[in-house]
Amino acid sequence: MGTRSIIGVLGVLRKLKRTEGLNLAHSTLQYLQNWSEDSSPSVVLRMSIAIIEQIEDARNILAASDLTDEAKEGLLATLDGLSAAFSLGGMNTQLQNYLPALDSAITNFAIVSSLAGSEFPEEANREIDALVVEIKALRDSAEVANLGRPLADTVTRLLNALLALLHNAAAVGVDAALAAYLDLVVQLRRTQPPKKAGDDAKSGIWATITSWSDRLVKISNLVDAGSKLAPILERAPEILKLLG
């Protein structure tokens, strides 16, 4: 049984349970906004899409597994509820309408994850925490401000998205963070700052951002070596040459 998406669904359920100040009477949108410093619609949408992708992957894995139909029934019902809760049409509805029994849902997915011998690794959490500190430092640096608008605004927005997805990687999956990173790299590579000072700032920022690719691949492999995006990051130097 593949484990990456099962870990992700368990991460979502645990995150819902542990979010301070919120309970099942609140909406999914309120949870998503709480999970990010930047609660902009684009970041919320990225997280929602990533979670739904995890849910659908988990559904396929469970359907193809050797579990009995009786065992699958409760798990799939939880996935149905989560999928509806994180959909665009369900985000503003109280979460209890979709997940009335959150504790038992956590227990069921924890059992499946345990049987598969898989949890989100603590080493991956440590690597994420260290990288998050660096990303925040760059986002708040004078170098980014010196890029000039609108590039500085774009880089800040994309760094915030990367931060939100990394910080919630146990729930949204590491691939979502890898995709946000690739988006950041491509946009920064293709956009020219308006002034010479911006060119100098961009060179320093570029060196910092490209140094993160190996660490993101390491995080991905710590969670599960099955990522589709990690091999792309491993070939980042070749790809960047093609971007010009």
mmCIF file of all heavy atoms in Angstrom, residues 163-217:
data_model
loop_
_atom_site.group_PDB
_atom_site.id
_atom_site.type_symbol
_atom_site.label_atom_id
_atom_site.label_comp_id
_atom_site.label_asym_id
_atom_site.label_seq_id
_atom_site.Cartn_x
_atom_site.Cartn_y
_atom_site.Cartn_z
ATOM 1 N N LEU A 163 5.903 29.054 2.171
ATOM 2 C CA LEU A 163 5.901 28.939 3.633
ATOM 3 C C LEU A 163 4.658 28.210 4.124
ATOM 4 O O LEU A 163 4.745 27.304 4.968
ATOM 5 C CB LEU A 163 5.961 30.332 4.272
ATOM 6 C CG LEU A 163 7.335 30.991 4.360
ATOM 7 C CD1 LEU A 163 7.196 32.456 4.744
ATOM 8 C CD2 LEU A 163 8.211 30.262 5.376
ATOM 9 N N ALA A 164 3.501 28.609 3.621
ATOM 10 C CA ALA A 164 2.247 27.992 4.070
ATOM 11 C C ALA A 164 2.219 26.501 3.756
ATOM 12 O O ALA A 164 1.813 25.681 4.588
ATOM 13 C CB ALA A 164 1.059 28.694 3.413
ATOM 14 N N LEU A 165 2.676 26.139 2.571
ATOM 15 C CA LEU A 165 2.626 24.733 2.163
ATOM 16 C C LEU A 165 3.676 23.893 2.895
ATOM 17 O O LEU A 165 3.413 22.747 3.258
ATOM 18 C CB LEU A 165 2.805 24.632 0.648
ATOM 19 C CG LEU A 165 1.642 25.248 -0.133
ATOM 20 C CD1 LEU A 165 2.015 25.450 -1.595
ATOM 21 C CD2 LEU A 165 0.389 24.387 -0.027
ATOM 22 N N LEU A 166 4.834 24.472 3.139
ATOM 23 C CA LEU A 166 5.848 23.747 3.907
ATOM 24 C C LEU A 166 5.417 23.572 5.353
ATOM 25 O O LEU A 166 5.553 22.492 5.943
ATOM 26 C CB LEU A 166 7.180 24.502 3.865
ATOM 27 C CG LEU A 166 8.204 24.104 2.813
ATOM 28 C CD1 LEU A 166 9.450 24.957 2.953
ATOM 29 C CD2 LEU A 166 8.567 22.624 2.910
ATOM 30 N N HIS A 167 4.909 24.667 5.931
ATOM 31 C CA HIS A 167 4.488 24.631 7.340
ATOM 32 C C HIS A 167 3.389 23.594 7.558
ATOM 33 O O HIS A 167 3.281 23.015 8.648
ATOM 34 C CB HIS A 167 3.999 26.021 7.758
ATOM 35 C CG HIS A 167 3.684 26.139 9.204
ATOM 36 N ND1 HIS A 167 4.647 26.028 10.185
ATOM 37 C CD2 HIS A 167 2.509 26.333 9.863
ATOM 38 C CE1 HIS A 167 4.082 26.157 11.375
ATOM 39 N NE2 HIS A 167 2.785 26.334 11.209
ATOM 40 N N ASN A 168 2.585 23.335 6.530
ATOM 41 C CA ASN A 168 1.480 22.383 6.623
ATOM 42 C C ASN A 168 1.732 21.125 5.798
ATOM 43 O O ASN A 168 0.793 20.442 5.396
ATOM 44 C CB ASN A 168 0.184 23.060 6.166
ATOM 45 C CG ASN A 168 -0.223 24.198 7.074
ATOM 46 O OD1 ASN A 168 -0.677 23.984 8.197
ATOM 47 N ND2 ASN A 168 -0.061 25.431 6.602
ATOM 48 N N ALA A 169 3.006 20.815 5.587
ATOM 49 C CA ALA A 169 3.356 19.706 4.690
ATOM 50 C C ALA A 169 2.793 18.368 5.153
ATOM 51 O O ALA A 169 2.450 17.515 4.324
ATOM 52 C CB ALA A 169 4.875 19.601 4.553
ATOM 53 N N ALA A 170 2.662 18.174 6.453
ATOM 54 C CA ALA A 170 2.115 16.907 6.948
ATOM 55 C C ALA A 170 0.667 16.722 6.528
ATOM 56 O O ALA A 170 0.172 15.601 6.455
ATOM 57 C CB ALA A 170 2.225 16.844 8.468
ATOM 58 N N ALA A 171 -0.012 17.840 6.231
ATOM 59 C CA ALA A 171 -1.416 17.777 5.816
ATOM 60 C C ALA A 171 -1.586 17.904 4.308
ATOM 61 O O ALA A 171 -2.334 17.135 3.693
ATOM 62 C CB ALA A 171 -2.216 18.872 6.511
ATOM 63 N N VAL A 172 -0.893 18.853 3.694
ATOM 64 C CA VAL A 172 -1.116 19.119 2.270
ATOM 65 C C VAL A 172 -0.196 18.300 1.372
ATOM 66 O O VAL A 172 -0.415 18.218 0.166
ATOM 67 C CB VAL A 172 -0.945 20.625 1.944
ATOM 68 C CG1 VAL A 172 -1.867 21.477 2.775
ATOM 69 C CG2 VAL A 172 0.504 21.081 2.124
ATOM 70 N N GLY A 173 0.830 17.683 1.962
ATOM 71 C CA GLY A 173 1.770 16.902 1.168
ATOM 72 C C GLY A 173 2.969 17.717 0.724
ATOM 73 O O GLY A 173 2.869 18.918 0.484
ATOM 74 N N VAL A 174 4.096 17.062 0.613
ATOM 75 C CA VAL A 174 5.338 17.755 0.243
ATOM 76 C C VAL A 174 5.320 18.197 -1.216
ATOM 77 O O VAL A 174 5.889 19.229 -1.575
ATOM 78 C CB VAL A 174 6.557 16.858 0.528
ATOM 79 C CG1 VAL A 174 7.851 17.530 0.089
ATOM 80 C CG2 VAL A 174 6.636 16.516 2.013
ATOM 81 N N ASP A 175 4.650 17.442 -2.079
ATOM 82 C CA ASP A 175 4.621 17.803 -3.501
ATOM 83 C C ASP A 175 4.027 19.194 -3.730
ATOM 84 O O ASP A 175 4.421 19.900 -4.668
ATOM 85 C CB ASP A 175 3.831 16.772 -4.302
ATOM 86 C CG ASP A 175 4.718 15.637 -4.810
ATOM 87 O OD1 ASP A 175 5.926 15.658 -4.506
ATOM 88 O OD2 ASP A 175 4.209 14.739 -5.494
ATOM 89 N N ALA A 176 3.078 19.590 -2.892
ATOM 90 C CA ALA A 176 2.493 20.925 -3.032
ATOM 91 C C ALA A 176 3.546 22.000 -2.795
ATOM 92 O O ALA A 176 3.584 23.027 -3.487
ATOM 93 C CB ALA A 176 1.335 21.102 -2.048
ATOM 94 N N ALA A 177 4.421 21.761 -1.819
ATOM 95 C CA ALA A 177 5.508 22.716 -1.550
ATOM 96 C C ALA A 177 6.525 22.708 -2.685
ATOM 97 O O ALA A 177 7.039 23.767 -3.081
ATOM 98 C CB ALA A 177 6.183 22.377 -0.226
ATOM 99 N N LEU A 178 6.808 21.543 -3.246
ATOM 100 C CA LEU A 178 7.746 21.468 -4.371
ATOM 101 C C LEU A 178 7.204 22.231 -5.579
ATOM 102 O O LEU A 178 7.954 22.928 -6.276
ATOM 103 C CB LEU A 178 8.002 20.007 -4.753
ATOM 104 C CG LEU A 178 8.596 19.080 -3.689
ATOM 105 C CD1 LEU A 178 8.984 17.747 -4.321
ATOM 106 C CD2 LEU A 178 9.781 19.693 -2.984
ATOM 107 N N ALA A 179 5.908 22.111 -5.817
ATOM 108 C CA ALA A 179 5.290 22.829 -6.940
ATOM 109 C C ALA A 179 5.367 24.339 -6.714
ATOM 110 O O ALA A 179 5.638 25.102 -7.653
ATOM 111 C CB ALA A 179 3.838 22.389 -7.102
ATOM 112 N N ALA A 180 5.135 24.780 -5.480
ATOM 113 C CA ALA A 180 5.220 26.212 -5.176
ATOM 114 C C ALA A 180 6.638 26.720 -5.346
ATOM 115 O O ALA A 180 6.866 27.842 -5.817
ATOM 116 C CB ALA A 180 4.731 26.472 -3.745
ATOM 117 N N TYR A 181 7.607 25.896 -4.980
ATOM 118 C CA TYR A 181 9.010 26.270 -5.144
ATOM 119 C C TYR A 181 9.364 26.415 -6.629
ATOM 120 O O TYR A 181 10.016 27.388 -7.036
ATOM 121 C CB TYR A 181 9.915 25.228 -4.492
ATOM 122 C CG TYR A 181 11.387 25.446 -4.756
ATOM 123 C CD1 TYR A 181 12.090 26.445 -4.083
ATOM 124 C CD2 TYR A 181 12.069 24.677 -5.697
ATOM 125 C CE1 TYR A 181 13.440 26.656 -4.333
ATOM 126 C CE2 TYR A 181 13.417 24.883 -5.947
ATOM 127 C CZ TYR A 181 14.093 25.875 -5.266
ATOM 128 O OH TYR A 181 15.422 26.084 -5.532
ATOM 129 N N LEU A 182 8.936 25.474 -7.436
ATOM 130 C CA LEU A 182 9.213 25.554 -8.874
ATOM 131 C C LEU A 182 8.558 26.785 -9.493
ATOM 132 O O LEU A 182 9.147 27.447 -10.363
ATOM 133 C CB LEU A 182 8.718 24.288 -9.570
ATOM 134 C CG LEU A 182 9.525 23.023 -9.295
ATOM 135 C CD1 LEU A 182 8.802 21.795 -9.831
ATOM 136 C CD2 LEU A 182 10.918 23.123 -9.909
ATOM 137 N N ASP A 183 7.378 27.113 -9.037
ATOM 138 C CA ASP A 183 6.685 28.322 -9.499
ATOM 139 C C ASP A 183 7.507 29.561 -9.160
ATOM 140 O O ASP A 183 7.698 30.464 -9.992
ATOM 141 C CB ASP A 183 5.308 28.398 -8.827
ATOM 142 C CG ASP A 183 4.412 29.478 -9.427
ATOM 143 O OD1 ASP A 183 4.765 30.038 -10.487
ATOM 144 O OD2 ASP A 183 3.345 29.752 -8.841
ATOM 145 N N LEU A 184 8.030 29.605 -7.947
ATOM 146 C CA LEU A 184 8.865 30.726 -7.504
ATOM 147 C C LEU A 184 10.117 30.853 -8.371
ATOM 148 O O LEU A 184 10.471 31.947 -8.837
ATOM 149 C CB LEU A 184 9.253 30.514 -6.041
ATOM 150 C CG LEU A 184 10.335 31.423 -5.454
ATOM 151 C CD1 LEU A 184 9.858 32.872 -5.417
ATOM 152 C CD2 LEU A 184 10.713 30.946 -4.043
ATOM 153 N N VAL A 185 10.789 29.733 -8.606
ATOM 154 C CA VAL A 185 12.029 29.734 -9.384
ATOM 155 C C VAL A 185 11.783 30.229 -10.811
ATOM 156 O O VAL A 185 12.521 31.082 -11.331
ATOM 157 C CB VAL A 185 12.648 28.320 -9.394
ATOM 158 C CG1 VAL A 185 13.747 28.218 -10.445
ATOM 159 C CG2 VAL A 185 13.212 27.981 -8.018
ATOM 160 N N VAL A 186 10.746 29.703 -11.438
ATOM 161 C CA VAL A 186 10.460 30.072 -12.830
ATOM 162 C C VAL A 186 10.098 31.553 -12.933
ATOM 163 O O VAL A 186 10.593 32.270 -13.818
ATOM 164 C CB VAL A 186 9.326 29.193 -13.391
ATOM 165 C CG1 VAL A 186 8.839 29.719 -14.729
ATOM 166 C CG2 VAL A 186 9.800 27.750 -13.545
ATOM 167 N N GLN A 187 9.258 32.037 -12.029
ATOM 168 C CA GLN A 187 8.834 33.440 -12.087
ATOM 169 C C GLN A 187 9.998 34.384 -11.838
ATOM 170 O O GLN A 187 10.141 35.407 -12.510
ATOM 171 C CB GLN A 187 7.726 33.692 -11.062
ATOM 172 C CG GLN A 187 6.451 32.935 -11.372
ATOM 173 C CD GLN A 187 5.245 33.853 -11.493
ATOM 174 O OE1 GLN A 187 5.361 35.022 -11.832
ATOM 175 N NE2 GLN A 187 4.083 33.301 -11.222
ATOM 176 N N LEU A 188 10.844 34.049 -10.880
ATOM 177 C CA LEU A 188 11.995 34.918 -10.594
ATOM 178 C C LEU A 188 12.985 34.906 -11.748
ATOM 179 O O LEU A 188 13.542 35.940 -12.110
ATOM 180 C CB LEU A 188 12.685 34.455 -9.310
ATOM 181 C CG LEU A 188 13.879 35.302 -8.845
ATOM 182 C CD1 LEU A 188 13.468 36.747 -8.582
ATOM 183 C CD2 LEU A 188 14.519 34.696 -7.600
ATOM 184 N N ARG A 189 13.175 33.764 -12.359
ATOM 185 C CA ARG A 189 14.125 33.640 -13.473
ATOM 186 C C ARG A 189 13.686 34.469 -14.681
ATOM 187 O O ARG A 189 14.509 35.085 -15.362
ATOM 188 C CB ARG A 189 14.234 32.168 -13.874
ATOM 189 C CG ARG A 189 15.236 31.883 -14.977
ATOM 190 C CD ARG A 189 16.648 32.009 -14.498
ATOM 191 N NE ARG A 189 17.616 31.539 -15.471
ATOM 192 C CZ ARG A 189 18.912 31.422 -15.226
ATOM 193 N NH1 ARG A 189 19.387 31.739 -14.047
ATOM 194 N NH2 ARG A 189 19.730 30.992 -16.162
ATOM 195 N N ARG A 190 12.383 34.498 -14.920
ATOM 196 C CA ARG A 190 11.884 35.114 -16.144
ATOM 197 C C ARG A 190 11.584 36.603 -16.014
ATOM 198 O O ARG A 190 11.331 37.267 -17.019
ATOM 199 C CB ARG A 190 10.605 34.388 -16.576
ATOM 200 C CG ARG A 190 10.867 33.002 -17.146
ATOM 201 C CD ARG A 190 9.583 32.337 -17.567
ATOM 202 N NE ARG A 190 9.835 31.132 -18.356
ATOM 203 C CZ ARG A 190 8.908 30.281 -18.747
ATOM 204 N NH1 ARG A 190 7.647 30.497 -18.411
ATOM 205 N NH2 ARG A 190 9.214 29.225 -19.461
ATOM 206 N N THR A 191 11.583 37.126 -14.796
ATOM 207 C CA THR A 191 11.179 38.521 -14.591
ATOM 208 C C THR A 191 12.390 39.400 -14.327
ATOM 209 O O THR A 191 13.233 39.083 -13.487
ATOM 210 C CB THR A 191 10.207 38.626 -13.396
ATOM 211 O OG1 THR A 191 9.150 37.685 -13.580
ATOM 212 C CG2 THR A 191 9.626 40.020 -13.294
ATOM 213 N N GLN A 192 12.443 40.512 -15.016
ATOM 214 C CA GLN A 192 13.559 41.445 -14.849
ATOM 215 C C GLN A 192 13.176 42.570 -13.892
ATOM 216 O O GLN A 192 12.119 43.185 -14.044
ATOM 217 C CB GLN A 192 13.955 42.060 -16.188
ATOM 218 C CG GLN A 192 14.867 41.195 -17.030
ATOM 219 C CD GLN A 192 16.171 40.887 -16.342
ATOM 220 O OE1 GLN A 192 16.444 39.744 -16.019
ATOM 221 N NE2 GLN A 192 16.983 41.898 -16.085
ATOM 222 N N PRO A 193 14.023 42.877 -12.897
ATOM 223 C CA PRO A 193 13.763 44.029 -12.027
ATOM 224 C C PRO A 193 13.803 45.320 -12.833
ATOM 225 O O PRO A 193 14.497 45.402 -13.863
ATOM 226 C CB PRO A 193 14.920 43.987 -11.028
ATOM 227 C CG PRO A 193 15.462 42.594 -11.110
ATOM 228 C CD PRO A 193 15.248 42.160 -12.525
ATOM 229 N N PRO A 194 13.092 46.362 -12.380
ATOM 230 C CA PRO A 194 13.030 47.606 -13.140
ATOM 231 C C PRO A 194 14.293 48.453 -13.071
ATOM 232 O O PRO A 194 14.498 49.321 -13.905
ATOM 233 C CB PRO A 194 11.850 48.345 -12.507
ATOM 234 C CG PRO A 194 11.770 47.799 -11.123
ATOM 235 C CD PRO A 194 12.206 46.367 -11.220
ATOM 236 N N LYS A 195 15.171 48.198 -12.065
ATOM 237 C CA LYS A 195 16.344 49.046 -11.890
ATOM 238 C C LYS A 195 17.590 48.195 -11.665
ATOM 239 O O LYS A 195 17.515 47.023 -11.326
ATOM 240 C CB LYS A 195 16.149 49.978 -10.681
ATOM 241 C CG LYS A 195 14.979 50.949 -10.847
ATOM 242 C CD LYS A 195 14.834 51.829 -9.607
ATOM 243 C CE LYS A 195 13.663 52.784 -9.750
ATOM 244 N NZ LYS A 195 13.470 53.622 -8.541
ATOM 245 N N LYS A 196 18.781 48.842 -11.832
ATOM 246 C CA LYS A 196 20.057 48.143 -11.655
ATOM 247 C C LYS A 196 20.184 47.579 -10.245
ATOM 248 O O LYS A 196 20.665 46.464 -10.037
ATOM 249 C CB LYS A 196 21.214 49.110 -11.936
ATOM 250 C CG LYS A 196 22.599 48.516 -11.694
ATOM 251 C CD LYS A 196 22.879 47.364 -12.664
ATOM 252 C CE LYS A 196 24.341 46.939 -12.609
ATOM 253 N NZ LYS A 196 24.727 46.365 -11.318
ATOM 254 N N ALA A 197 19.737 48.338 -9.238
ATOM 255 C CA ALA A 197 19.803 47.858 -7.855
ATOM 256 C C ALA A 197 19.006 46.572 -7.704
ATOM 257 O O ALA A 197 19.362 45.670 -6.945
ATOM 258 C CB ALA A 197 19.271 48.916 -6.893
ATOM 259 N N GLY A 198 17.928 46.481 -8.473
ATOM 260 C CA GLY A 198 17.116 45.276 -8.449
ATOM 261 C C GLY A 198 17.853 44.090 -9.036
ATOM 262 O O GLY A 198 17.711 42.956 -8.567
ATOM 263 N N ASP A 199 18.666 44.322 -10.081
ATOM 264 C CA ASP A 199 19.471 43.250 -10.668
ATOM 265 C C ASP A 199 20.433 42.667 -9.642
ATOM 266 O O ASP A 199 20.620 41.457 -9.544
ATOM 267 C CB ASP A 199 20.259 43.776 -11.869
ATOM 268 C CG ASP A 199 19.385 43.927 -13.104
ATOM 269 O OD1 ASP A 199 18.418 43.159 -13.229
ATOM 270 O OD2 ASP A 199 19.670 44.814 -13.924
ATOM 271 N N ASP A 200 21.084 43.561 -8.894
ATOM 272 C CA ASP A 200 22.035 43.113 -7.865
ATOM 273 C C ASP A 200 21.310 42.312 -6.780
ATOM 274 O O ASP A 200 21.796 41.270 -6.320
ATOM 275 C CB ASP A 200 22.743 44.312 -7.227
ATOM 276 C CG ASP A 200 23.613 45.053 -8.232
ATOM 277 O OD1 ASP A 200 24.008 44.431 -9.250
ATOM 278 O OD2 ASP A 200 23.887 46.249 -8.024
ATOM 279 N N ALA A 201 20.147 42.789 -6.371
ATOM 280 C CA ALA A 201 19.373 42.088 -5.352
ATOM 281 C C ALA A 201 18.923 40.725 -5.855
ATOM 282 O O ALA A 201 18.955 39.731 -5.130
ATOM 283 C CB ALA A 201 18.165 42.928 -4.935
ATOM 284 N N LYS A 202 18.521 40.689 -7.129
ATOM 285 C CA LYS A 202 18.039 39.439 -7.703
ATOM 286 C C LYS A 202 19.135 38.371 -7.702
ATOM 287 O O LYS A 202 18.865 37.201 -7.432
ATOM 288 C CB LYS A 202 17.535 39.675 -9.125
ATOM 289 C CG LYS A 202 17.029 38.413 -9.808
ATOM 290 C CD LYS A 202 16.500 38.701 -11.206
ATOM 291 C CE LYS A 202 16.165 37.414 -11.943
ATOM 292 N NZ LYS A 202 15.654 37.665 -13.298
ATOM 293 N N SER A 203 20.381 38.765 -7.964
ATOM 294 C CA SER A 203 21.481 37.803 -7.981
ATOM 295 C C SER A 203 21.656 37.138 -6.624
ATOM 296 O O SER A 203 21.825 35.917 -6.523
ATOM 297 C CB SER A 203 22.789 38.507 -8.380
ATOM 298 O OG SER A 203 22.701 39.012 -9.694
ATOM 299 N N GLY A 204 21.578 37.950 -5.565
ATOM 300 C CA GLY A 204 21.723 37.395 -4.220
ATOM 301 C C GLY A 204 20.552 36.497 -3.845
ATOM 302 O O GLY A 204 20.735 35.422 -3.263
ATOM 303 N N ILE A 205 19.348 36.936 -4.201
ATOM 304 C CA ILE A 205 18.154 36.147 -3.903
ATOM 305 C C ILE A 205 18.175 34.842 -4.683
ATOM 306 O O ILE A 205 17.824 33.780 -4.163
ATOM 307 C CB ILE A 205 16.889 36.965 -4.239
ATOM 308 C CG1 ILE A 205 16.752 38.133 -3.264
ATOM 309 C CG2 ILE A 205 15.644 36.099 -4.212
ATOM 310 C CD1 ILE A 205 15.698 39.135 -3.661
ATOM 311 N N TRP A 206 18.590 34.929 -5.934
ATOM 312 C CA TRP A 206 18.640 33.739 -6.784
ATOM 313 C C TRP A 206 19.556 32.675 -6.176
ATOM 314 O O TRP A 206 19.196 31.492 -6.127
ATOM 315 C CB TRP A 206 19.132 34.127 -8.166
ATOM 316 C CG TRP A 206 19.150 33.001 -9.151
ATOM 317 C CD1 TRP A 206 20.233 32.349 -9.640
ATOM 318 C CD2 TRP A 206 18.014 32.380 -9.760
ATOM 319 N NE1 TRP A 206 19.858 31.358 -10.514
ATOM 320 C CE2 TRP A 206 18.497 31.366 -10.608
ATOM 321 C CE3 TRP A 206 16.638 32.590 -9.670
ATOM 322 C CZ2 TRP A 206 17.655 30.556 -11.352
ATOM 323 C CZ3 TRP A 206 15.798 31.771 -10.411
ATOM 324 C CH2 TRP A 206 16.310 30.777 -11.240
ATOM 325 N N ALA A 207 20.715 33.087 -5.698
ATOM 326 C CA ALA A 207 21.653 32.135 -5.100
ATOM 327 C C ALA A 207 21.039 31.458 -3.871
ATOM 328 O O ALA A 207 21.197 30.251 -3.656
ATOM 329 C CB ALA A 207 22.942 32.847 -4.720
ATOM 330 N N THR A 208 20.327 32.239 -3.074
ATOM 331 C CA THR A 208 19.695 31.680 -1.871
ATOM 332 C C THR A 208 18.591 30.696 -2.235
ATOM 333 O O THR A 208 18.533 29.573 -1.707
ATOM 334 C CB THR A 208 19.109 32.813 -1.002
ATOM 335 O OG1 THR A 208 20.159 33.697 -0.611
ATOM 336 C CG2 THR A 208 18.438 32.246 0.238
ATOM 337 N N ILE A 209 17.724 31.109 -3.141
ATOM 338 C CA ILE A 209 16.575 30.274 -3.482
ATOM 339 C C ILE A 209 16.995 28.975 -4.152
ATOM 340 O O ILE A 209 16.464 27.897 -3.841
ATOM 341 C CB ILE A 209 15.589 31.061 -4.370
ATOM 342 C CG1 ILE A 209 14.883 32.133 -3.533
ATOM 343 C CG2 ILE A 209 14.556 30.134 -5.008
ATOM 344 C CD1 ILE A 209 13.969 33.047 -4.321
ATOM 345 N N THR A 210 17.954 29.033 -5.054
ATOM 346 C CA THR A 210 18.375 27.807 -5.734
ATOM 347 C C THR A 210 19.090 26.848 -4.781
ATOM 348 O O THR A 210 19.133 25.645 -5.033
ATOM 349 C CB THR A 210 19.279 28.114 -6.935
ATOM 350 O OG1 THR A 210 20.361 28.967 -6.524
ATOM 351 C CG2 THR A 210 18.489 28.796 -8.043
ATOM 352 N N SER A 211 19.611 27.373 -3.678
ATOM 353 C CA SER A 211 20.268 26.491 -2.702
ATOM 354 C C SER A 211 19.266 25.638 -1.941
ATOM 355 O O SER A 211 19.647 24.687 -1.257
ATOM 356 C CB SER A 211 21.093 27.324 -1.710
ATOM 357 O OG SER A 211 20.256 28.015 -0.793
ATOM 358 N N TRP A 212 17.986 25.975 -2.044
ATOM 359 C CA TRP A 212 16.962 25.231 -1.305
ATOM 360 C C TRP A 212 16.535 23.951 -2.008
ATOM 361 O O TRP A 212 15.887 23.101 -1.394
ATOM 362 C CB TRP A 212 15.710 26.100 -1.098
ATOM 363 C CG TRP A 212 15.931 27.322 -0.267
ATOM 364 C CD1 TRP A 212 16.942 27.549 0.618
ATOM 365 C CD2 TRP A 212 15.105 28.491 -0.251
ATOM 366 N NE1 TRP A 212 16.801 28.790 1.193
ATOM 367 C CE2 TRP A 212 15.695 29.389 0.680
ATOM 368 C CE3 TRP A 212 13.942 28.872 -0.922
ATOM 369 C CZ2 TRP A 212 15.134 30.642 0.934
ATOM 370 C CZ3 TRP A 212 13.387 30.115 -0.665
ATOM 371 C CH2 TRP A 212 13.981 30.989 0.252
ATOM 372 N N SER A 213 16.863 23.788 -3.289
ATOM 373 C CA SER A 213 16.311 22.654 -4.039
ATOM 374 C C SER A 213 16.749 21.309 -3.459
ATOM 375 O O SER A 213 15.925 20.402 -3.298
ATOM 376 C CB SER A 213 16.689 22.749 -5.518
ATOM 377 O OG SER A 213 18.095 22.693 -5.684
ATOM 378 N N ASP A 214 18.028 21.168 -3.130
ATOM 379 C CA ASP A 214 18.507 19.895 -2.580
ATOM 380 C C ASP A 214 17.825 19.582 -1.248
ATOM 381 O O ASP A 214 17.526 18.425 -0.950
ATOM 382 C CB ASP A 214 20.025 19.932 -2.382
ATOM 383 C CG ASP A 214 20.789 19.880 -3.693
ATOM 384 O OD1 ASP A 214 20.181 19.502 -4.707
ATOM 385 O OD2 ASP A 214 21.986 20.219 -3.700
ATOM 386 N N ARG A 215 17.569 20.609 -0.469
ATOM 387 C CA ARG A 215 16.950 20.389 0.846
ATOM 388 C C ARG A 215 15.486 19.977 0.698
ATOM 389 O O ARG A 215 14.984 19.146 1.453
ATOM 390 C CB ARG A 215 17.101 21.645 1.693
ATOM 391 C CG ARG A 215 18.574 21.932 1.987
ATOM 392 C CD ARG A 215 18.783 23.295 2.553
ATOM 393 N NE ARG A 215 18.209 23.421 3.878
ATOM 394 C CZ ARG A 215 18.203 24.561 4.562
ATOM 395 N NH1 ARG A 215 18.731 25.643 4.009
ATOM 396 N NH2 ARG A 215 17.683 24.616 5.768
ATOM 397 N N LEU A 216 14.816 20.550 -0.293
ATOM 398 C CA LEU A 216 13.425 20.159 -0.543
ATOM 399 C C LEU A 216 13.344 18.715 -1.045
ATOM 400 O O LEU A 216 12.440 17.964 -0.667
ATOM 401 C CB LEU A 216 12.789 21.114 -1.551
ATOM 402 C CG LEU A 216 12.444 22.494 -0.990
ATOM 403 C CD1 LEU A 216 12.170 23.473 -2.124
ATOM 404 C CD2 LEU A 216 11.239 22.418 -0.056
ATOM 405 N N VAL A 217 14.292 18.329 -1.884
ATOM 406 C CA VAL A 217 14.338 16.937 -2.346
ATOM 407 C C VAL A 217 14.581 16.005 -1.156
ATOM 408 O O VAL A 217 13.948 14.936 -1.041
ATOM 409 C CB VAL A 217 15.436 16.750 -3.411
ATOM 410 C CG1 VAL A 217 15.659 15.261 -3.702
ATOM 411 C CG2 VAL A 217 15.064 17.485 -4.689
#
